[in-house]
């Protein structure tokens, strides 16, 4: 198992690349919705010398089943709640109609045990997305509820990236006891006020990985997805140079990951193109050094003995086709300042909860320690951060005055990273979840082109439930 503690000296440096391949056909559908049933189950997360772990999984699986459709196609899912508590499905990163967003108390009522809810929407963007609960998400995430949602490019042929195959790596983090049980409590004040629930066991697609079998010469599209509550991942591919071709599902101009290292905040996704340039029979390590003092080998890249697939190296991958995102007009964009405050070692004086201003100690007694613009969200609340005019461009200037990094997620939109600490970000990468580093400022811009009430929150659920959430009203 892997030991780790939350630290403010975490990880730096996001890398990206984008890719595309000849893809399998979209989901066949026959009118009836695809039923997704979150339910208690058992999973062999750790080795066979340990007992199975009691988890919650979609259809009883860890991770949940991969949902796959083609861009522009419609997804029909019936959520049937097999859990002992209310739940919802949130389609992370999809720009869908507000009523399908799965936020209890905002876009729908939470689905009671035994109840159901029908989700139906078209996928406007191709890319790597995922689904998870937005109800009691600290516990429901920690018990395993997450699954990939892959939207294939509408035209995967001419003018786009070719790869030999693709894989999805859903990375998750578990806090287990010595008996491989999920450790309780779910959200201690320590977790709420520090870096969230960081675990001690990392899984890839539901198991502790050993080796990634590859063939020399092949080009693979890797869809990385961080489904952990709070753990950041920084994967370093020894002796390999992965291209980043998409970030949070949105294609970017392909670029080589710096030092072969890619950073994934909670909820983040990266599409990589990895050229397997090693020799037959060779082995290399993929190391996760997001927390440098707790760096560990995630797995080995294990080359088969067979002859290379191709004789010479491939040229740089082509960019994936862009999704139909509206370009923000920075000249006319209205600026909205967002200040993140609170938490341990954050020095927050006071903030407002339920209309009352109080100090950090009084807030902590109520389980609340984080604020957005001086407002702490109460249970089930998402205080209004701003009313946005439909079709208008906005620039969010997010200032993190806390001692921890926060992956800030906007629902229903993607925003373009335009600056960090006042320095322009020239790559113009789109995110649905952007890291706000301690003592830093991050600027993003977007067009408010999707009407409705959209959450803006820290994606570490322990931070969200302890106050770090709000809402933009677009209309
Ligand atoms: Cu946070």
């Amino acid at each position: 198992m892997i030991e780790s503690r939350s630290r403010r000296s975490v990880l730096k440096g996001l890398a990206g690349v984008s890719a595309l391949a000849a893809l399998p056909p979209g989901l066949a559908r026959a009118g009836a919705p695809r039923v997704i049933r979150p339910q208690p189950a058992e999973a062999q997360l750790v080795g066979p010398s340990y007992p199975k772990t009691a988890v919650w999984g979609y259809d009883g699986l860890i991770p949940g089943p991969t949902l796959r459709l083609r861009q522009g196609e419609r997804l029909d899912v019936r959520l049937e709640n097999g859990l002992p508590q209310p739940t919802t499905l949130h389609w992370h990163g999809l720009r869908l109609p507000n009523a399908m967003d799965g936020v209890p108390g905002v876009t729908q009522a939470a689905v009671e045990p035994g109840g159901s809810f029908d989700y139906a929407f078209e996928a406007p963007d191709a890319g790597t997305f995922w689904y998870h609960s937005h109800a009691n998400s600290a516990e429901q995430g920690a018990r395993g509820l997450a699954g990939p949602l892959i939207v294939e490019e509408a035209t995967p042929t001419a003018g786009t990236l070719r790869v030999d195959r693709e894989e999805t790596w859903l990375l998750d983090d578990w806090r287990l006891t010595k008996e491989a049980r999920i450790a309780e409590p779910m959200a201690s004040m320590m977790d709420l006020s520090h870096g969230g629930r960081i675990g001690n066991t990392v899984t890839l697609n539901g198991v502790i990985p050993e080796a990634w079998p590859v063939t020399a010469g092949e080009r693979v599209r890797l869809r990385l997805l961080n489904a952990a509550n709070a753990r950041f991942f920084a994967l370093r591919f020894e002796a390999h140079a992965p291209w980043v071709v998409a970030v949070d599902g949105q294609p970017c101009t392909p670029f080589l990951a710096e030092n072969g290292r890619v950073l994934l905040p909670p909820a983040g996704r990266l599409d990589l193109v990895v050229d397997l340039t090693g020799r037959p029979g060779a082995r290399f390590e993929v190391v996760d050094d997001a927390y440098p003092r707790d760096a560990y080998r995630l797995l080995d890249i294990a080359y088969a003995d067979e002859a290379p697939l191709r004789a010479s190296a491939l040229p740089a991958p082509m960019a994936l086709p862009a999704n139909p995102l509206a370009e923000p007009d920075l000249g006319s964009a209205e600026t909205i300042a967002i200040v993140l405050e609170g938490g341990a070692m954050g020095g927050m004086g006071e903030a407002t909860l339920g209309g009352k201003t109080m100090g950090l100690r009084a807030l902590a007694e109520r389980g609340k320690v984080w604020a957005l613009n001086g407002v702490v969200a109460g249970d089930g609340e998402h205080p209004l951060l701003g009313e946005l005019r439909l079709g208008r461009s906005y620039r969010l200037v997010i200032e993190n005055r806390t001692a921890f990094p926060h992956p800030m997620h906007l629902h229903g939109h993607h925003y373009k990273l335009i600056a960090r600490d006042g320095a322009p970000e020239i790559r113009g990468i789109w995110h649905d979840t952007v890291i706000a580093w301690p003592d830093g400022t991050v600027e993003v811009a977007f067009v408010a082109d999707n009407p409705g009430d959209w959450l803006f929150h820290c994606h570490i659920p322990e931070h969200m439930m302890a106050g770090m959430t709000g809402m933009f009203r677009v209309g």
Side-chain angles (χ1 to χ4, degrees):
M1 293 194 196
I2 300 130
E3 287 246 331
S4 184
R5 261 152 257 105
S6 60
R7 301 214 163 82
R8 64 178 303 182
S9 65
V10 198
L11 30 114
K12 276 267 183 181
L14 173 55
V17 149
S18 93
L20 188 51
L23 295 167
L27 285 177
R29 255 180 307 285
R34 166 76 151 91
V35 172
I36 295 279
R37 184 180 164 82
Q39 57 190 313
E42 290 197 325
Q44 190 75 53
L45 296 178
V46 286
S49 56
Y50 287 90
K52 288 185 174 177
T53 301
V55 298
W56 291 351
Y58 291 115
D59 294 352
L61 301 173
I62 302 294
T66 297
L67 301 180
R68 203 172 254 280
L69 68 159
R70 210 177 273 290
Q71 186 174 14
E73 281 184 347
R74 179 183 154 110
L75 184 65
D76 283 279
V77 167
R78 174 164 297 163
L79 166 66
E80 290 184 359
N81 187 4
L83 301 173
Q85 59 180 240
T87 194
T88 63
L89 284 177
H90 172 60
W91 310 93
H92 188 111
L94 267 79
R95 300 185 299 131
L96 38 62
N98 194 242
M100 298 289 105
D101 199 38
V103 179
V106 176
T107 68
Q108 66 169 98
V111 179
E112 295 296 325
S116 70
F117 188 91
D118 288 347
Y119 296 91
F121 51 84
E122 288 168 4
D125 299 330
T128 303
F129 304 99
W130 63 302
Y131 60 96
H132 61 77
S133 165
H134 226 290
N136 193 19
S137 48
E139 175 172 15
Q140 295 190 16
R143 293 195 187 279
L145 290 169
L149 172 58
I150 307 299
V151 183
E152 296 169 358
E153 289 74 17
T155 52
T157 51
T160 60
L161 172 64
R162 299 300 193 98
V163 297
D164 297 306
R165 62 190 173 95
E166 69 163 65
E167 277 190 31
T168 302
W169 288 9
L170 185 145
L171 294 158
D172 206 350
D173 173 41
W174 307 78
R175 187 182 293 175
L176 301 179
T177 67
K178 287 192 170 63
E179 299 77 35
R181 288 198 199 95
I182 291 175
E184 303 205 28
M186 279 301 148
S188 66
M189 180 45 71
M190 182 72 175
D191 291 339
L192 295 180
S193 61
H194 290 71
R197 181 183 170 99
I198 294 181
N200 51 22
T201 303
V202 166
T203 57
L204 191 161
N205 296 339
V207 295
I208 296 177
E210 255 315 304
W212 178 36
V214 300
T215 302
E218 66 177 340
R219 168 170 279 186
V220 179
R221 178 180 185 170
L222 273 189
R223 299 175 182 267
L224 306 183
L225 191 175
N226 182 354
N229 280 28
R231 177 183 288 274
F232 288 65
F233 290 92
L235 304 190
R236 195 161 43 74
F237 290 73
E238 181 195 7
H240 289 73
W243 294 87
V244 179
V245 298
V247 177
D248 287 353
Q250 302 295 349
C252 59
T253 302
F255 63 93
L256 283 169
E258 202 176 329
N259 302 317
R261 183 178 186 266
V262 294
L263 177 65
L264 270 179
R269 288 91 63 215
L270 288 175
D271 285 43
L272 306 182
V273 168
V274 184
D275 288 323
L276 280 310
T277 50
R279 286 199 304 273
R283 280 179 96 91
F284 302 92
E285 291 188 341
V286 175
V287 170
D288 174 11
D289 62 1
Y291 308 86
R293 277 182 284 179
D294 293 318
Y296 65 96
R297 180 188 67 94
L298 178 70
L299 51 70
D300 278 355
I301 305 173
Y303 281 80
D305 289 327
E306 65 195 78
L309 265 189
R310 48 179 63 84
S312 54
L314 289 165
M318 297 177 74
L320 290 162
N323 287 317
L325 289 163
E327 192 67 33
D329 175 13
L330 295 180
S332 69
E334 185 181 317
T335 296
I336 299 175
I338 304 280
V339 176
L340 317 183
E341 287 180 294
M345 303 169 287
M348 181 167 75
E350 53 186 29
T352 303
L353 172 65
K356 275 189 240 160
T357 300
M358 52 187 96
L360 188 57
R361 186 191 184 99
L363 289 166
E365 284 166 4
R366 293 159 174 79
K368 305 293 174 191
V369 289
W370 304 96
L372 295 178
N373 288 350
V375 177
V376 179
D379 290 336
E381 292 177 4
H382 305 280
L384 195 61
L385 289 162
E387 301 199 46
L388 311 186
R389 221 168 64 216
L390 189 64
R392 176 147 194 196
S393 293
Y394 291 88
R395 178 200 309 255
L396 300 185
V397 180
I398 305 165
E399 181 188 350
N400 182 355
R401 294 184 189 161
T402 82
F404 296 88
H406 301 283
M408 300 305 297
H409 175 43
L410 176 64
H411 287 213
H413 299 75
H414 282 242
Y415 33 45
K416 187 176 254 189
L417 178 59
I418 54 175
R420 280 195 184 277
D421 301 326
E425 287 276 339
I426 54 170
R427 284 200 177 113
I429 289 178
W430 296 95
H431 295 261
D432 58 48
T433 307
V434 72
I435 304 172
W437 295 104
D439 304 321
T441 298
V442 57
E443 293 181 40
V444 292
F446 68 105
V447 178
D449 58 0
N450 198 354
D453 288 344
W454 300 106
L455 262 54
F456 174 73
H457 65 90
C458 177
H459 210 280
I460 295 173
E462 295 78 21
H463 291 179
M464 181 171 70
M465 70 187 285
M468 196 175 264
T469 180
M471 186 174 82
F472 287 108
R473 176 161 294 155
V474 178

